[in-house]
């Protein structure tokens, strides 16, 4: 008889943890978080240099009881100085708690009531104080008049530093990160979240600018893109590794930090996916001819999308009208304007179809991000 010994490997597992030690000449093991992980000749490494106390993202399989790394990506982030937040959660009427991760520690702080608003002093300069109105956030209009000046940007993806430098250069904010653009409008055309490492701070900053602008007759429009829908609905594949680590430390699922009891989550769901400013139609992905066939107003489309912004992601995608946030012909995903995406997100609209969209909405141009 011929016997063969089979080695069974588990499905790959991905985790982010602190590098406690890395291989030496006499021990071929990484200790990352609570995991002992071996490397072999097939292990793929990123460009980072291993430093104890830094974070690492590891994908491993378990072979005969041993965790073997398929990929190790060392991150230039020291866990002991890592900070994030706050995430402000409404626990009950009049009770708000801010959850933060500061220098490697979890903090929970109550908000204080001042002149009818709940307040929290933050630890990042772009938003020195967060103010929370106990009433639900207002649903902004889907159609507004054209201001004297309109500036739009898209796909910031958590890069707050890039944004503040851009806004200061163009006179939208001052050196203290406060709105100085009067009655003009600024528009974020989707995908402000995911990929970057300052998503939480960026969202609070946009919310602050919106409050400041509206107090003096200006406005800030925050458009829901496909990545906003993803994080609100628990599709976290593009989340920065920093957040993978922090939510494990907080022991709170990421979608919980953005649900309807979350101040940020409630505010994001009150925003629009389609906004028309004067003759200009703004939508993150594109306005497809099939979307026009639904014969729905901007406000009706926005309302329908808001109702679907809750887990799970990727529900029914066959019916455009009932799956506006996920359908390939919907305003968050359509890419039929661009040749390289036609196979998946086409067909490309004809000139006549584009003219019909513009004419229906009394628009002269459609602006997209993606």
């Amino acid at each position: 008889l011929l016997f063969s010994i089979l080695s069974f490997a588990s499905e790959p597992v991905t985790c982010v943890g602190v590098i406690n030690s890395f291989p030496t000449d006499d021990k071929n093991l990484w200790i990352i978080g609570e995991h002992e992980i071996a490397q072999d000749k097939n292990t793929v490494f990123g460009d980072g240099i291993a430093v104890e106390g830094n974070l690492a993202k590891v994908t491993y399989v378990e072979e005969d009881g041993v965790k073997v790394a398929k990929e190790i990506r060392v991150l230039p982030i020291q866990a002991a100085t890592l900070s994030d937040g706050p995430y402000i959660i409404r626990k009950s009427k009049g009770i708000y708690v801010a959850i933060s991760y500061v220098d490697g520690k979890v903090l929970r702080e109550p908000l204080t009531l001042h002149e009818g608003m709940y307040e929290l002093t933050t630890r990042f300069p772009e938003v020195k104080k967060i103010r929370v109105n106990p009433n639900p956030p207002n649903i902004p209009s889907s159609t507004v008049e054209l201001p004297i000046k309109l500036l739009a940007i898209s796909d910031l993806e958590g890069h707050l530093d890039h944004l503040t430098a851009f806004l200061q250069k163009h006179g939208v904010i001052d050196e203290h990160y406060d709105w100085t653009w009067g009655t003009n409008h600024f528009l974020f055309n989707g995908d402000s979240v995911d990929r970057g490492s300052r998503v939480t701070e960026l969202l609070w900053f946009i919310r602050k600018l919106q409050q400041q602008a509206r107090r003096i007759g200006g406005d800030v429009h925050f458009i829901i893109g496909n990545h906003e829908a993803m994080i609100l609905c628990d599709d976290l594949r593009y989340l920065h590794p920093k957040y993978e680590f922090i939510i494990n430390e907080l022991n709170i699922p990421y979608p919980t930090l953005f649900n309807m009891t979350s101040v940020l989550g409630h505010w994001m769901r009150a925003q629009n996916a389609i906004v028309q400013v004067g003759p200009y139609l703004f939508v993150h992905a594109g306005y497809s001819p099939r979307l026009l066939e639904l014969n729905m107003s901007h406000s009706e489309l926005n309302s329908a999308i808001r109702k679907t912004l809750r887990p799970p992601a990727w529900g029914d995608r066959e019916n455009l009208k009932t799956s506006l946030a996920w359908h390939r012909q919907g305003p968050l995903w359509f890419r039929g304007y661009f040749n390289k995406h036609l196979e998946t997100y086409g067909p490309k609209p004809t000139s006549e179809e584009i003219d019909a969209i513009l004419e229906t909405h009394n628009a002269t141009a459609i602006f997209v991000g993606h």
Side-chain angles (χ1 to χ4, degrees):
L1 292 174
L2 180 62
F3 294 92
S4 62
I5 298 175
L6 301 179
S7 177
F8 294 96
S10 63
E11 290 295 315
V13 175
T14 299
C15 67
V16 177
V18 181
I19 301 173
N20 293 313
S21 67
F22 40 81
T24 60
D25 292 339
D26 57 352
K27 192 173 184 181
N28 189 36
L29 282 178
W30 294 74
I31 300 180
I32 298 176
E34 299 177 351
H35 302 281
E36 286 193 354
I37 301 174
Q39 65 181 47
D40 63 16
K41 62 181 182 180
N42 297 316
T43 302
V44 176
F45 296 93
D47 297 329
I49 298 174
V51 177
E52 289 188 11
N54 272 25
L55 297 182
K57 184 168 184 174
V58 185
T59 300
Y60 66 86
V61 294
E62 200 158 330
E63 298 179 353
D64 300 329
V66 177
K67 295 173 181 174
V68 180
K70 295 178 70 66
E71 182 177 6
I72 298 178
R73 177 184 166 198
V74 176
L75 306 172
I77 300 174
Q78 272 279 316
T81 58
L82 186 60
S83 294
D84 182 40
Y87 300 97
I88 298 178
I89 308 297
R90 177 174 49 81
K91 306 298 288 186
S92 60
K93 185 176 181 180
I95 304 294
Y96 292 85
V97 176
I99 304 172
S100 305
Y101 192 78
V102 180
D103 296 334
K105 297 179 181 179
V106 179
L107 298 181
R108 287 177 167 81
E109 306 164 279
L111 272 65
T112 57
L113 182 62
H114 179 70
E115 296 181 351
M117 302 282 277
Y118 293 87
E119 296 184 345
L120 178 77
T121 301
T122 75
R123 296 172 175 83
F124 61 101
E126 295 87 356
V127 183
K128 295 181 178 63
K129 183 173 289 186
I130 293 171
R131 306 182 77 236
V132 178
N133 189 324
N135 298 318
N138 293 324
I139 303 295
S141 175
S142 304
T143 304
V144 298
E145 294 183 1
L146 184 67
I148 295 174
K149 291 183 180 180
L150 169 66
L151 186 60
I153 194 171
S154 75
D155 294 74
L156 284 161
E157 297 181 340
H159 291 95
L160 177 56
D161 298 340
H162 296 171
L163 172 64
T164 54
F166 175 80
L167 295 182
Q168 286 172 340
K169 180 178 177 63
H170 292 281
V172 178
I173 61 173
D174 60 20
E175 69 274 17
H176 303 295
Y177 308 104
D178 290 322
W179 179 266
T180 57
W181 222 35
T183 58
N184 298 309
H185 288 205
F186 190 78
L187 186 143
F188 295 87
N189 204 13
D191 284 6
S192 296
V193 303
D194 270 347
R195 291 195 173 98
S197 63
R198 299 197 72 196
V199 170
T200 316
E201 298 94 329
L202 174 60
L203 291 172
W204 284 122
F205 177 65
I206 295 172
R207 179 181 176 275
K208 179 195 84 168
L209 289 188
Q210 189 180 76
Q211 292 176 334
Q212 291 180 336
R214 288 176 178 174
R215 280 200 292 268
I216 59 173
D219 210 346
V220 171
H221 308 279
F222 180 86
I223 287 181
I224 298 292
N226 58 305
H227 281 271
E228 279 79 19
M230 290 168 76
I231 70 162
L232 291 174
C233 299
D234 200 16
D235 184 341
L236 308 181
R237 71 185 108 158
Y238 297 104
L239 204 61
H240 190 281
K242 162 187 171 178
Y243 298 103
E244 296 180 53
F245 174 75
I246 285 173
I247 59 178
N248 186 60
E249 294 293 293
L250 297 179
N251 196 27
I252 301 174
Y254 197 69
T256 300
L257 298 172
F258 290 95
N259 66 16
M260 288 296 285
T261 67
S262 154
V263 171
L264 277 179
H266 202 176
W267 170 75
M268 288 174 70
R269 286 177 176 85
Q271 308 307 306
N272 291 316
I274 299 172
V275 172
Q276 186 164 341
V277 184
Y280 305 130
L281 184 58
F282 289 89
V283 56
H284 176 65
Y287 203 112
S288 70
R290 285 192 59 190
L291 189 62
L292 184 65
E293 291 172 3
L294 296 180
N295 195 30
M296 297 172 68
S297 68
H298 297 336
S299 59
E300 288 172 333
L301 290 168
N302 285 322
S303 178
I305 289 170
R306 284 191 203 98
K307 292 175 182 177
T308 65
L309 294 179
R310 59 184 182 275
W314 304 107
D316 168 36
R317 284 176 282 166
E318 299 303 316
N319 187 322
L320 175 59
K321 187 170 185 178
T322 58
S323 189
L324 285 164
W326 304 106
H327 198 284
R328 290 178 177 177
Q329 297 290 312
L332 277 61
W333 293 93
F334 179 65
R335 302 187 192 204
Y337 299 162
F338 307 102
N339 290 333
K340 68 177 182 178
H341 296 297
L342 294 184
E343 184 176 346
T344 305
Y345 294 94
K348 190 172 186 176
T350 65
S351 296
E352 291 76 16
E353 287 173 327
I354 294 293
D355 288 343
I357 295 169
L358 295 173
E359 183 178 351
T360 299
H361 297 296
N362 295 316
T364 60
I366 302 171
F367 290 84
V368 301
H370 233 349

